[in-house]
Coordinates of all heavy atoms in Angstrom, one line a residue:
M14 N -12.9 -2.0 1.2 CA -11.6 -2.0 1.9 C -11.9 -2.2 3.4 O -12.6 -1.4 4.0 CB -11.0 -0.6 1.7 CG -9.5 -0.8 1.4 SD -8.7 0.8 1.1 CE -9.3 1.3 -0.5
A15 N -11.3 -3.2 4.0 CA -11.5 -3.5 5.3 C -10.6 -2.7 6.2 O -9.5 -2.4 5.8 CB -11.2 -5.0 5.6
G16 N -10.9 -2.5 7.4 CA -10.1 -1.7 8.4 C -10.9 -1.3 9.5 O -12.2 -1.6 9.7
T17 N -10.3 -0.7 10.5 CA -11.0 -0.3 11.7 C -10.9 1.2 11.8 O -9.9 1.8 11.3 CB -10.4 -0.9 13.0 OG1 -9.0 -0.6 13.0 CG2 -10.5 -2.4 13.0
Y18 N -11.9 1.9 12.4 CA -11.8 3.3 12.5 C -11.0 3.7 13.7 O -11.1 3.1 14.7 CB -13.3 3.8 12.7 CG -14.1 3.8 11.4 CD1 -15.0 2.8 11.1 CD2 -13.9 4.8 10.5 CE1 -15.6 2.7 9.9 CE2 -14.6 4.8 9.3 CZ -15.5 3.8 9.0 OH -16.2 3.7 7.9
K19 N -10.1 4.7 13.4 CA -9.3 5.2 14.5 C -9.4 6.8 14.5 O -9.5 7.4 13.4 CB -7.9 4.8 14.3 CG -7.7 3.4 14.6 CD -6.2 3.1 14.9 CE -6.1 1.6 15.3 NZ -4.9 1.3 15.9
K20 N -9.3 7.4 15.6 CA -9.3 8.8 15.6 C -7.8 9.3 15.8 O -7.1 8.9 16.6 CB -10.1 9.3 16.9 CG -10.4 10.8 16.8 CD -11.4 11.2 17.9 CE -11.6 12.7 17.8 NZ -12.6 13.1 18.8
C21 N -7.5 10.2 14.9 CA -6.1 10.7 14.8 C -6.1 12.2 14.7 O -6.6 12.7 13.6 CB -5.3 10.0 13.6 SG -3.7 10.5 13.5
K22 N -5.6 12.9 15.6 CA -5.5 14.4 15.6 C -6.9 15.0 15.3 O -7.0 15.9 14.5 CB -4.5 14.9 14.5 CG -3.1 14.5 14.9 CD -2.1 15.1 13.9 CE -0.7 14.6 14.2 NZ 0.2 15.0 13.2
G23 N -7.9 14.5 15.9 CA -9.3 15.0 15.8 C -10.0 14.6 14.6 O -11.2 15.1 14.3
V24 N -9.4 13.9 13.7 CA -10.1 13.3 12.5 C -10.2 11.9 12.6 O -9.3 11.2 12.9 CB -9.2 13.7 11.3 CG1 -9.8 13.2 10.0 CG2 -8.9 15.2 11.2
I25 N -11.4 11.5 12.2 CA -11.7 10.0 12.2 C -11.3 9.4 10.8 O -11.8 10.0 9.8 CB -13.1 9.7 12.6 CG1 -13.4 10.1 14.0 CG2 -13.4 8.2 12.4 CD1 -14.8 9.9 14.4
G26 N -10.5 8.4 10.8 CA -10.1 7.9 9.5 C -10.1 6.4 9.5 O -10.3 5.7 10.6
L27 N -10.0 5.7 8.4 CA -10.0 4.3 8.3 C -8.6 3.8 8.4 O -7.8 4.1 7.5 CB -10.7 3.9 6.9 CG -10.9 2.5 6.7 CD1 -12.0 2.0 7.7 CD2 -11.4 2.2 5.3
A28 N -8.4 3.0 9.4 CA -7.0 2.5 9.6 C -6.8 1.3 8.7 O -7.7 0.7 8.2 CB -6.9 2.0 11.1
G29 N -5.6 1.0 8.3 CA -5.2 -0.1 7.5 C -5.3 0.2 6.0 O -5.2 -0.7 5.2
Q30 N -5.5 1.4 5.5 CA -5.6 1.7 4.1 C -4.2 1.4 3.5 O -4.2 1.0 2.3 CB -6.0 3.2 3.9 CG -7.5 3.4 4.1 CD -7.9 4.8 3.8 OE1 -7.1 5.7 3.6 NE2 -9.1 5.0 3.8
I31 N -3.1 1.8 4.1 CA -1.8 1.5 3.5 C -1.6 0.0 3.3 O -1.1 -0.4 2.2 CB -0.7 2.1 4.4 CG1 -0.8 3.6 4.4 CG2 0.7 1.6 3.9 CD1 0.1 4.3 5.4
Y32 N -1.9 -0.8 4.3 CA -1.9 -2.3 4.1 C -2.7 -2.7 2.9 O -2.2 -3.5 2.1 CB -2.4 -2.9 5.4 CG -2.4 -4.5 5.3 CD1 -1.3 -5.2 5.5 CD2 -3.6 -5.1 5.0 CE1 -1.4 -6.6 5.4 CE2 -3.7 -6.5 4.9 CZ -2.6 -7.2 5.1 OH -2.6 -8.6 5.0
N33 N -3.9 -2.2 2.8 CA -4.8 -2.6 1.7 C -4.2 -2.2 0.4 O -4.3 -2.9 -0.6 CB -6.2 -2.1 1.9 CG -6.9 -2.8 3.1 OD1 -6.6 -3.9 3.5 ND2 -7.8 -2.1 3.7
M34 N -3.7 -1.0 0.3 CA -3.0 -0.5 -0.9 C -1.9 -1.4 -1.3 O -1.8 -1.7 -2.5 CB -2.6 1.0 -0.8 CG -3.8 2.0 -0.6 SD -3.2 3.6 -0.1 CE -2.6 4.2 -1.7
I35 N -1.0 -1.7 -0.4 CA 0.1 -2.6 -0.7 C -0.4 -3.9 -1.3 O 0.1 -4.4 -2.3 CB 1.0 -2.8 0.5 CG1 1.7 -1.5 0.9 CG2 2.0 -4.0 0.3 CD1 2.4 -1.5 2.3
Q36 N -1.4 -4.5 -0.6 CA -1.9 -5.8 -1.0 C -2.5 -5.7 -2.4 O -2.3 -6.6 -3.2 CB -2.9 -6.3 0.0 CG -2.4 -6.6 1.3 CD -1.1 -7.6 1.3 OE1 -1.2 -8.6 0.6 NE2 -0.1 -7.2 2.0
K37 N -3.2 -4.6 -2.7 CA -3.9 -4.5 -3.9 C -2.9 -4.3 -5.1 O -3.0 -4.9 -6.2 CB -4.8 -3.3 -3.9 CG -5.6 -3.1 -5.2 CD -6.7 -2.1 -5.1 CE -7.6 -2.0 -6.3 NZ -8.6 -0.9 -6.2
I38 N -1.8 -3.5 -4.8 CA -0.8 -3.3 -5.9 C -0.1 -4.6 -6.2 O 0.1 -5.0 -7.4 CB 0.3 -2.2 -5.4 CG1 -0.4 -0.9 -5.3 CG2 1.5 -2.2 -6.3 CD1 0.4 0.2 -4.6
V39 N 0.3 -5.3 -5.1 CA 1.0 -6.6 -5.3 C 0.1 -7.6 -6.1 O 0.6 -8.3 -7.0 CB 1.6 -7.2 -4.0 CG1 2.1 -8.6 -4.2 CG2 2.6 -6.3 -3.4
T40 N -1.1 -7.7 -5.6 CA -2.0 -8.7 -6.2 C -2.4 -8.4 -7.6 O -2.3 -9.3 -8.5 CB -3.4 -8.8 -5.4 OG1 -3.0 -9.1 -4.0 CG2 -4.3 -9.8 -5.9
E41 N -2.7 -7.2 -8.0 CA -3.1 -6.8 -9.3 C -1.9 -6.8 -10.3 O -2.1 -7.3 -11.4 CB -3.8 -5.4 -9.3 CG -5.1 -5.4 -8.7 CD -5.9 -4.1 -8.9 OE1 -5.4 -3.3 -9.7 OE2 -6.8 -3.9 -8.2
R42 N -0.8 -6.4 -9.8 CA 0.4 -6.5 -10.7 C 0.9 -7.8 -11.0 O 1.3 -8.2 -12.1 CB 1.5 -5.5 -10.2 CG 2.8 -5.5 -11.0 CD 2.4 -4.8 -12.3 NE 3.7 -4.7 -13.1 CZ 3.9 -5.4 -14.3 NH1 2.9 -6.2 -14.8 NH2 5.0 -5.3 -14.9
S43 N 1.0 -8.7 -9.9 CA 1.6 -10.0 -10.1 C 0.6 -11.0 -10.7 O 1.2 -12.0 -11.3 CB 2.1 -10.5 -8.7 OG 0.9 -10.8 -7.8
R44 N -0.7 -10.9 -10.5 CA -1.7 -11.8 -11.0 C -1.3 -13.3 -10.7 O -1.4 -14.2 -11.5 CB -1.8 -11.6 -12.5 CG -2.4 -10.3 -12.8 CD -2.7 -10.2 -14.3 NE -3.0 -8.8 -14.5 CZ -3.4 -8.4 -15.7 NH1 -3.6 -9.2 -16.7 NH2 -3.8 -7.1 -15.9
G45 N -0.9 -13.5 -9.4 CA -0.5 -14.8 -8.9 C 0.9 -15.3 -9.1 O 1.3 -16.4 -8.7
N46 N 1.7 -14.5 -9.9 CA 3.1 -14.9 -10.1 C 4.0 -14.5 -9.0 O 4.1 -13.2 -8.8 CB 3.6 -14.3 -11.5 CG 5.0 -14.7 -11.9 OD1 5.8 -15.0 -11.1 ND2 5.1 -14.9 -13.2
Q47 N 4.5 -15.4 -8.2 CA 5.3 -15.1 -7.0 C 6.5 -14.3 -7.3 O 7.0 -13.4 -6.6 CB 5.7 -16.3 -6.2 CG 4.6 -16.8 -5.4 CD 4.1 -15.7 -4.4 OE1 2.9 -15.4 -4.3 NE2 5.0 -15.2 -3.6
I48 N 7.2 -14.5 -8.5 CA 8.4 -13.8 -8.9 C 8.0 -12.3 -9.1 O 8.8 -11.4 -8.6 CB 9.0 -14.4 -10.1 CG1 9.6 -15.8 -9.8 CG2 10.2 -13.5 -10.6 CD1 10.0 -16.6 -10.9
I49 N 7.0 -12.1 -9.8 CA 6.5 -10.7 -10.0 C 6.1 -10.1 -8.7 O 6.4 -8.9 -8.4 CB 5.4 -10.6 -11.0 CG1 6.0 -11.0 -12.4 CG2 4.9 -9.2 -11.2 CD1 5.0 -11.1 -13.5
A50 N 5.4 -10.8 -7.9 CA 5.0 -10.3 -6.5 C 6.2 -9.9 -5.7 O 6.2 -8.8 -5.1 CB 4.2 -11.3 -5.8
N51 N 7.2 -10.7 -5.7 CA 8.4 -10.3 -4.9 C 9.2 -9.1 -5.5 O 9.7 -8.2 -4.8 CB 9.5 -11.5 -4.9 CG 9.0 -12.6 -4.0 OD1 8.2 -12.3 -3.1 ND2 9.4 -13.8 -4.3
S52 N 9.1 -9.0 -6.9 CA 9.7 -7.8 -7.5 C 8.9 -6.5 -7.1 O 9.5 -5.4 -6.9 CB 9.6 -8.0 -9.1 OG 10.0 -6.9 -9.7
V53 N 7.6 -6.6 -7.1 CA 6.7 -5.5 -6.8 C 7.1 -5.1 -5.3 O 7.2 -3.9 -5.0 CB 5.2 -5.8 -7.0 CG1 4.4 -4.7 -6.4 CG2 5.0 -6.0 -8.4
R54 N 7.1 -6.0 -4.4 CA 7.4 -5.7 -3.0 C 8.8 -5.1 -2.9 O 8.9 -4.1 -2.1 CB 7.4 -7.0 -2.2 CG 6.0 -7.6 -1.9 CD 6.1 -8.8 -1.0 NE 4.8 -9.5 -1.0 CZ 4.6 -10.5 -1.7 NH1 5.5 -11.1 -2.4 NH2 3.3 -11.1 -1.7
T55 N 9.7 -5.5 -3.7 CA 11.1 -4.9 -3.6 C 11.0 -3.5 -4.1 O 11.7 -2.6 -3.5 CB 12.0 -5.7 -4.5 OG1 12.1 -7.1 -4.0 CG2 13.4 -5.1 -4.5
K56 N 10.2 -3.2 -5.2 CA 10.2 -1.8 -5.6 C 9.5 -0.9 -4.6 O 10.0 0.2 -4.3 CB 9.3 -1.8 -6.9 CG 9.2 -0.4 -7.5 CD 8.6 -0.4 -8.8 CE 8.7 1.0 -9.5 NZ 8.6 0.9 -10.9
I57 N 8.5 -1.5 -3.9 CA 7.9 -0.7 -2.8 C 8.9 -0.4 -1.7 O 8.9 0.8 -1.2 CB 6.6 -1.3 -2.3 CG1 5.5 -1.4 -3.4 CG2 6.1 -0.7 -1.0 CD1 4.3 -2.3 -3.0
I58 N 9.7 -1.4 -1.4 CA 10.7 -1.2 -0.3 C 11.8 -0.2 -0.8 O 12.1 0.7 0.0 CB 11.4 -2.5 0.0 CG1 10.3 -3.4 0.8 CG2 12.6 -2.3 0.9 CD1 10.8 -4.9 0.9
L59 N 12.1 -0.2 -2.0 CA 13.1 0.7 -2.5 C 12.6 2.2 -2.6 O 13.4 3.1 -2.6 CB 13.6 0.3 -3.9 CG 14.5 -1.0 -3.9 CD1 14.7 -1.4 -5.4 CD2 15.8 -0.7 -3.2
K60 N 11.2 2.3 -2.6 CA 10.6 3.7 -2.6 C 10.6 4.1 -1.1 O 10.1 5.3 -0.8 CB 9.2 3.6 -3.1 CG 9.1 3.3 -4.6 CD 9.5 4.6 -5.3 CE 9.2 4.3 -6.8 NZ 9.4 5.5 -7.6
G61 N 11.1 3.3 -0.1 CA 11.2 3.8 1.2 C 10.0 3.4 2.0 O 9.8 3.9 3.1
I62 N 9.3 2.4 1.7 CA 8.1 2.0 2.4 C 8.4 0.6 3.0 O 8.6 -0.4 2.3 CB 6.8 1.9 1.6 CG1 6.6 3.3 1.0 CG2 5.6 1.4 2.3 CD1 5.6 3.4 -0.1
A63 N 8.4 0.5 4.3 CA 8.7 -0.8 5.0 C 7.4 -1.5 5.1 O 6.6 -1.4 6.0 CB 9.2 -0.5 6.4
I64 N 7.2 -2.4 4.0 CA 5.9 -3.1 3.9 C 5.5 -4.0 5.1 O 4.4 -4.1 5.4 CB 5.8 -3.9 2.6 CG1 6.9 -5.0 2.5 CG2 5.8 -3.0 1.4 CD1 6.8 -5.8 1.3
D65 N 6.5 -4.6 5.8 CA 6.2 -5.4 6.9 C 5.7 -4.6 8.2 O 5.2 -5.2 9.1 CB 7.5 -6.2 7.4 CG 8.0 -7.1 6.3 OD1 7.1 -7.5 5.5 OD2 9.1 -7.5 6.3
K66 N 5.9 -3.3 8.1 CA 5.5 -2.4 9.3 C 4.0 -2.2 9.2 O 3.4 -1.9 10.3 CB 6.2 -1.1 9.0 CG 5.8 0.0 10.0 CD 6.6 1.3 9.6 CE 6.0 2.5 10.3 NZ 6.6 3.7 9.9
Y67 N 3.3 -2.4 8.1 CA 1.9 -2.1 8.0 C 1.0 -3.3 8.1 O 1.2 -4.3 7.5 CB 1.6 -1.4 6.7 CG 2.4 0.0 6.7 CD1 3.5 0.1 5.9 CD2 1.9 1.1 7.4 CE1 4.3 1.3 6.0 CE2 2.6 2.3 7.4 CZ 3.8 2.4 6.6 OH 4.5 3.5 6.7
T68 N -0.1 -3.2 9.0 CA -1.0 -4.2 9.2 C -2.4 -3.6 9.0 O -2.5 -2.4 8.8 CB -0.9 -4.7 10.6 OG1 -1.3 -3.7 11.6 CG2 0.5 -5.2 11.0
P69 N -3.4 -4.5 9.0 CA -4.8 -3.9 8.8 C -5.2 -3.0 9.9 O -6.2 -2.2 9.7 CB -5.7 -5.2 8.9 CG -4.8 -6.3 8.4 CD -3.4 -5.9 9.0
T70 N -4.5 -2.9 11.0 CA -4.8 -2.0 12.1 C -3.8 -0.8 12.2 O -4.0 0.0 13.1 CB -4.9 -2.7 13.4 OG1 -3.7 -3.3 13.7 CG2 -6.1 -3.7 13.4
S71 N -2.8 -0.7 11.3 CA -1.8 0.4 11.4 C -2.5 1.7 11.0 O -3.3 1.8 10.1 CB -0.8 0.1 10.4 OG 0.0 -1.1 10.7
P72 N -2.1 2.8 11.8 CA -2.6 4.1 11.3 C -2.0 4.5 10.0 O -0.9 4.1 9.6 CB -2.0 5.0 12.4 CG -0.9 4.3 13.0 CD -1.1 2.8 12.8
D73 N -2.8 5.3 9.3 CA -2.4 5.7 7.9 C -1.7 7.0 7.9 O -1.8 7.8 8.8 CB -3.7 5.9 7.0 CG -4.4 4.6 6.9 OD1 -3.8 3.5 6.7 OD2 -5.7 4.5 6.9
D74 N -0.8 7.1 6.9 CA 0.1 8.2 6.8 C -0.1 8.7 5.4 O 0.2 8.0 4.4 CB 1.5 7.8 7.0 CG 2.5 8.9 6.9 OD1 2.2 10.0 6.3 OD2 3.7 8.7 7.3
F75 N -0.5 9.9 5.2 CA -0.8 10.5 3.9 C 0.4 10.4 2.9 O 0.3 10.1 1.8 CB -1.3 11.9 4.0 CG -1.6 12.5 2.7 CD1 -2.8 12.1 2.0 CD2 -0.8 13.4 2.0 CE1 -3.1 12.7 0.7 CE2 -1.1 13.9 0.7 CZ -2.3 13.5 0.2
A76 N 1.6 10.7 3.4 CA 2.8 10.7 2.6 C 3.1 9.3 2.0 O 3.4 9.2 0.9 CB 4.0 11.2 3.4
V77 N 2.9 8.2 2.9 CA 3.1 6.9 2.4 C 2.1 6.5 1.4 O 2.4 5.9 0.4 CB 3.1 5.9 3.6 CG1 3.2 4.5 3.1 CG2 4.3 6.2 4.5
M78 N 0.8 6.9 1.6 CA -0.3 6.6 0.7 C 0.0 7.3 -0.7 O -0.2 6.7 -1.7 CB -1.6 7.1 1.3 CG -2.0 6.3 2.5 SD -3.4 7.0 3.4 CE -4.7 6.6 2.2
Q79 N 0.6 8.5 -0.7 CA 0.9 9.2 -1.9 C 2.0 8.4 -2.6 O 1.9 8.3 -3.9 CB 1.3 10.6 -1.6 CG 1.5 11.4 -2.9 CD 0.2 11.5 -3.7 OE1 -0.9 11.6 -3.1 NE2 0.3 11.5 -5.0
K80 N 3.0 7.9 -1.9 CA 4.1 7.1 -2.6 C 3.5 5.9 -3.2 O 3.9 5.4 -4.3 CB 5.1 6.8 -1.6 CG 6.1 7.8 -1.2 CD 7.2 7.3 -0.2 CE 8.1 8.4 0.3 NZ 9.1 7.9 1.2
L81 N 2.6 5.2 -2.5 CA 2.0 4.0 -3.0 C 1.1 4.3 -4.3 O 1.1 3.5 -5.2 CB 1.1 3.3 -2.0 CG 1.9 2.6 -0.9 CD1 1.0 2.2 0.2 CD2 2.7 1.4 -1.4
R82 N 0.5 5.4 -4.3 CA -0.3 5.9 -5.5 C 0.7 6.0 -6.7 O 0.3 5.7 -7.8 CB -1.1 7.2 -5.2 CG -2.3 6.9 -4.4 CD -3.2 8.1 -4.3 NE -4.3 7.9 -3.3 CZ -4.2 8.3 -2.1 NH1 -3.1 9.0 -1.6 NH2 -5.2 8.1 -1.2
E83 N 1.9 6.6 -6.4 CA 2.9 6.8 -7.5 C 3.3 5.4 -8.0 O 3.5 5.3 -9.2 CB 4.0 7.6 -7.0 CG 3.7 9.1 -6.7 CD 4.8 9.9 -6.0 OE1 5.9 9.3 -5.9 OE2 4.5 11.0 -5.5
V84 N 3.6 4.5 -7.1 CA 4.0 3.1 -7.5 C 3.0 2.5 -8.4 O 3.2 1.9 -9.4 CB 4.3 2.2 -6.3 CG1 4.6 0.8 -6.7 CG2 5.6 2.8 -5.6
A85 N 1.7 2.6 -7.9 CA 0.6 2.1 -8.7 C 0.5 2.7 -10.1 O 0.3 2.0 -11.1 CB -0.7 2.2 -8.0
K86 N 0.7 4.0 -10.1 CA 0.6 4.7 -11.4 C 1.7 4.2 -12.3 O 1.4 4.1 -13.5 CB 0.7 6.2 -11.2 CG 0.5 7.0 -12.4 CD 0.5 8.5 -12.1 CE 0.4 9.3 -13.3 NZ 0.5 10.8 -13.0
E87 N 2.9 4.0 -11.8 CA 4.0 3.5 -12.6 C 3.7 2.1 -13.2 O 4.1 1.8 -14.3 CB 5.3 3.3 -11.8 CG 5.9 4.6 -11.4 CD 7.1 4.5 -10.5 OE1 7.7 3.4 -10.4 OE2 7.5 5.6 -9.8
Y88 N 2.9 1.3 -12.6 CA 2.5 0.0 -13.0 C 1.2 0.1 -13.9 O 0.7 -0.9 -14.3 CB 2.3 -1.0 -11.9 CG 3.5 -1.5 -11.3 CD1 3.8 -1.4 -9.9 CD2 4.5 -2.1 -12.1 CE1 4.9 -1.9 -9.3 CE2 5.7 -2.6 -11.5 CZ 5.9 -2.5 -10.2 OH 7.1 -3.0 -9.6
G89 N 0.6 1.3 -13.9 CA -0.6 1.4 -14.8 C -1.8 1.0 -14.0 O -2.9 0.6 -14.6
L90 N -1.8 1.0 -12.6 CA -2.9 0.6 -11.8 C -3.5 1.8 -11.2 O -2.9 2.9 -10.9 CB -2.4 -0.3 -10.7 CG -1.6 -1.6 -11.1 CD1 -1.1 -2.3 -9.8 CD2 -2.6 -2.5 -11.9
I91 N -4.8 1.7 -11.0 CA -5.5 2.8 -10.3 C -6.0 2.1 -8.9 O -6.7 1.2 -8.9 CB -6.7 3.3 -11.1 CG1 -6.3 3.9 -12.4 CG2 -7.6 4.3 -10.3 CD1 -7.4 4.2 -13.4
I92 N -5.6 2.8 -7.8 CA -6.0 2.3 -6.5 C -6.7 3.4 -5.7 O -6.6 4.5 -6.1 CB -4.8 1.7 -5.7 CG1 -3.7 2.7 -5.5 CG2 -4.3 0.5 -6.4 CD1 -2.7 2.3 -4.6

């Protein structure tokens, strides 16, 4: 998983994990089908995650990461 290290509240973490999780969910679920990819992105947005907000350098938020794990689980994916 690519990203940059950032220090947040005294803890060093890997930035960009949310971005990578979104990309992995969309890629693995859609398998190259753009219609399914858009459907997956829509589901993530409906779960309250603004996917356009996250970049490879965005700080990570545990609550958002947990929501993404739930979406992945609904699709039968392990991320």
Side-chain angles (χ1 to χ4, degrees):
M14 223 180 284
T17 57
Y18 286 98
K19 291 205 174 186
K20 189 170 183 177
C21 181
K22 295 183 182 177
V24 177
I25 296 177
L27 187 64
Q30 286 184 350
I31 293 173
Y32 173 83
N33 291 332
M34 290 172 77
I35 291 169
Q36 297 306 314
K37 186 172 183 181
I38 292 169
V39 172
T40 302
E41 287 188 16
R42 179 66 178 113
S43 68
R44 297 183 185 189
N46 185 324
Q47 277 304 121
I48 294 171
I49 295 174
N51 289 335
S52 174
V53 172
R54 286 187 195 99
T55 300
K56 183 170 188 157
I57 293 171
I58 291 168
L59 290 173
K60 292 282 186 176
I62 301 168
I64 59 175
D65 294 337
K66 174 182 165 185
Y67 297 100
T68 67
T70 58
S71 298
D73 294 323
D74 179 347
F75 181 75
V77 173
M78 292 171 71
Q79 189 60 36
K80 284 183 184 180
L81 288 170
R82 285 187 189 98
E83 291 172 13
V84 171
K86 187 176 180 181
E87 289 176 19
Y88 283 128
L90 302 173
I91 298 172
I92 57 169

